[in-house]
Amino acid sequence: MKLWDKGVTIDQRIEKFTVGNDREIDLHIAIYDVQASLAHAKMLTSVGIITSKELQQLEKGLKEIALQIVEETFVIEPQFEDVHSKIEYELTKKYGEVGKKIHTARSRNDQVLVALHLFYKDHLQHVLSKTESLFNTLLELAETHKKTIIPGYTHLQVAMPSSFGLWFSAYAELLIDDVYMLQAALKTVDQNPLGSAAGYGSSFPIDRDFTTTELGFTTLKYNVVAAQLSRGKNERIIASALGGLCNTLARFSMDICLYMSQNFGFISFPDALTTGSSIMPHKKNPDVFELIRGKCNKIQALHTEMLLITNNLPSGYHRDFQLLKEHSITAFEDVIEILTIFEYAIKQIKILDIDLSDEKYHYLYTVDSINTLVINGDSFRDAYQKVGAQVQSGTYTPADAKEHTHIGSMGNLCLDKIREKFSEARK
């Protein structure tokens, strides 16, 4: 039941250790192995290695397996090492010799690599789509609450006036930076590695352009050694991109947790979105955003893991690469879940009234006071000294709020420009 079986019995302890939980992980890439196998079979027909009749049999068998995968009835039993050996076994059991031909001109390394490329490509597009949805929600919230003032903070000290419009659109625009990285990762994996075989190509006259077009890749990884070298590099780039997005979401979640606390009291959520305490009946805990923060911080550590597993490995295939799959696949599933629940919750945010006359916000408008003096003829430095002296002596009287009209300020959020920039980033 192994693609590399040569009739030698393998020590069971060694087999258990080397296979690990690959069967469970491979269920995530099973559909992509079917897609790649079908494209490979069509290519073999086009170059005369298998017949049209044999292709018809393989197509029928692979489509039946694909249906089982979609319906979640596909199982990789313990006697199989991985999804690749299971699929080849099923084809051989049903169609005999033609099932044995599907592996012609490719290696298991080849199969894993192209299946992962397809998985990564598909899931990066899903993450980008979810990110765009969250971006649109944040801009809608920014537009709705653009005139609602909140205190801004530096060093966690009251600093200058801000607004909910500024807050929501700030994180929306940060998502654009994350999209740049996600698009770069997508471009990196959108290169067909199929045909590299064990990393050094094949003496069969395979047509790699055929499978590139058939599988929907933009281009191919021309050099077969470079194709194998992409294993590990892909995961590092993806981990960096997902980590960047998670950094944005973790910081946003931290803001939300702070702003929900009674000490701030800026926002709230419906009771159904919060949790309670087993002994304190008044508690409304932001567990969703705390878990988002924690999960996002965990995903940010993935890049270090990928780096340490693959750092300084020489060219060619190494079994270390097997360890890249599990956490890379899990990270995608977690990020998609995080984006979904984040948008679901943030849509239900409640903006609370803030009493800006409260003593703790007494110095919120000191900069506006300085600017008023500058407009009336003082130099900035002299105005700063005057207001600073008033603060020190306890004689400062808050000034009236001034309009902020420059690009990107409270009174000029440039939401249309931010939306346009996102659209450009997604191209």
Side-chain angles (χ1 to χ4, degrees):
M1 302 302 180
K2 301 177 182 63
L3 298 181
W4 50 271
D5 186 14
K6 297 182 289 291
V8 178
T9 301
I10 303 300
D11 187 298
Q12 290 300 300
R13 293 176 65 181
I14 296 298
E15 181 173 1
K16 183 178 179 181
F17 181 78
T18 55
V19 172
N21 62 343
D22 247 21
R23 299 182 192 91
E24 293 82 1
I25 298 167
D26 277 4
L27 288 173
H28 295 276
I29 62 170
I31 195 68
Y32 302 101
D33 188 72
V34 169
Q35 290 175 15
S37 294
L38 183 55
H40 185 70
K42 290 179 179 179
M43 182 276 294
L44 292 177
T45 303
S46 73
V47 298
I49 293 177
I50 63 175
T51 67
S52 296
K53 183 179 179 181
E54 288 173 327
L55 174 61
Q56 289 175 1
Q57 291 176 308
L58 291 172
E59 280 185 309
K60 184 178 179 182
L62 288 167
K63 287 176 180 178
E64 288 173 354
I65 293 170
L67 183 61
Q68 292 173 20
I69 294 168
V70 171
E71 294 178 344
E72 298 184 353
T73 59
F74 180 78
V75 178
I76 306 173
E77 293 86 353
Q79 65 264 36
F80 298 102
E81 189 174 21
D82 51 33
V83 66
H84 318 293
S85 53
K86 164 69 174 182
I87 289 174
E88 184 172 318
Y89 171 82
E90 291 296 330
L91 293 173
T92 303
K93 182 176 74 171
K94 194 157 191 176
Y95 300 107
E97 287 300 309
V98 67
K100 299 178 182 179
K101 294 184 178 182
I102 190 68
H103 201 61
T104 305
R106 66 177 181 173
S107 162
R108 184 171 64 161
N109 304 340
D110 210 11
Q111 288 182 259
V112 176
L113 191 53
V114 70
L116 285 173
H117 270 256
L118 291 168
F119 174 92
Y120 294 151
K121 183 180 173 182
D122 194 17
H123 283 70
L124 280 167
Q125 289 169 334
H126 196 174
V127 169
L128 281 162
S129 177
K130 287 285 187 182
T131 302
E132 183 170 6
S133 182
L134 175 59
F135 170 85
N136 289 329
T137 293
L138 294 180
L139 283 197
E140 289 169 9
L141 288 167
E143 178 64 36
T144 301
H145 302 289
K146 63 183 177 183
K147 293 185 178 179
T148 306
I149 302 299
I150 58 172
Y153 293 81
T154 62
H155 307 275
L156 279 180
Q157 308 294 304
V158 173
M160 291 177 63
S162 181
S163 71
F164 278 106
L166 206 57
W167 184 56
F168 285 124
S169 58
Y171 280 106
E173 191 166 6
L174 275 185
L175 289 175
I176 298 174
D177 299 332
D178 302 324
V179 167
Y180 290 145
M181 294 180 67
L182 290 165
Q183 291 281 41
L186 179 58
K187 192 170 185 178
T188 300
V189 300
D190 193 14
Q191 304 176 81
N192 180 23
L194 186 59
S196 60
Y200 301 97
S202 172
S203 59
F204 288 104
I206 58 175
D207 185 347
R208 297 189 66 211
D209 286 326
F210 182 100
T211 54
T212 299
T213 301
E214 188 70 22
L215 290 170
F217 285 107
T218 299
T219 186
L220 57 79
K221 205 78 170 181
Y222 291 96
N223 185 293
V224 291
V225 175
Q228 283 294 327
L229 284 170
S230 69
R231 190 97 182 261
K233 187 169 189 177
N234 291 338
E235 286 77 10
R236 292 194 300 273
I237 292 170
I238 289 167
S240 180
L242 294 180
L245 173 61
C246 285
N247 178 267
T248 299
L249 298 176
R251 294 180 70 184
F252 199 173
S253 296
M254 183 62 195
D255 278 2
I256 290 169
C257 292
L258 283 175
Y259 290 177
M260 272 190 71
S261 76
Q262 292 89 339
N263 300 77
F264 287 79
F266 297 166
I267 60 174
S268 183
F269 287 88
D271 290 351
L273 269 63
T274 62
T275 62
S277 164
S278 62
I279 64 170
M280 294 174 285
H282 67 282
K283 295 297 291 296
K284 283 182 60 175
N285 300 324
D287 283 17
V288 167
F289 293 100
E290 291 174 346
L291 285 170
I292 289 173
R293 183 178 60 198
K295 285 174 179 283
C296 283
N297 290 338
K298 182 179 178 181
I299 291 167
Q300 288 180 77
L302 182 64
H303 182 262
T304 301
E305 178 184 324
M306 299 295 103
L307 182 66
L308 291 177
I309 291 173
T310 61
N311 196 35
N312 296 333
L313 286 180
S315 59
Y317 176 78
H318 309 279
R319 196 62 181 265
D320 312 53
F321 292 142
Q322 178 180 330
L323 305 177
L324 303 176
K325 287 193 297 185
E326 181 176 5
H327 290 168
S328 295
I329 290 170
T330 302
F332 272 111
E333 295 185 331
D334 286 346
V335 168
I336 290 168
E337 182 184 31
I338 287 166
L339 286 165
T340 302
I341 198 68
F342 197 114
E343 184 178 8
Y344 175 79
I346 203 69
K347 280 182 174 180
Q348 301 180 63
I349 193 170
K350 296 180 178 181
I351 306 301
L352 304 180
D353 292 330
I354 303 170
D355 181 8
L356 294 177
S357 66
D358 190 290
E359 179 64 26
K360 60 178 170 285
Y361 305 129
H362 187 67
Y363 297 118
L364 189 62
Y365 293 101
T366 57
V367 176
D368 282 349
S369 297
I370 293 170
N371 292 350
T372 298
L373 292 174
V374 171
I375 290 170
N376 291 334
D378 284 13
S379 68
F380 176 82
R381 187 52 55 208
D382 287 344
Y384 178 90
Q385 293 295 332
K386 286 180 182 180
V387 174
Q390 293 171 8
V391 170
Q392 291 299 315
S393 64
T395 60
Y396 172 75
T397 301
D400 293 332
K402 288 189 171 299
E403 287 291 323
H404 293 205
T405 59
H406 67 76
I407 290 174
S409 63
M410 283 190 295
N412 188 6
L413 293 176
C414 300
L415 300 185
D416 56 336
K417 296 293 185 183
I418 294 173
R419 194 180 297 278
E420 183 181 323
K421 185 160 68 163
F422 189 96
S423 296
E424 288 295 319
R426 283 287 272 130
K427 290 181 179 177

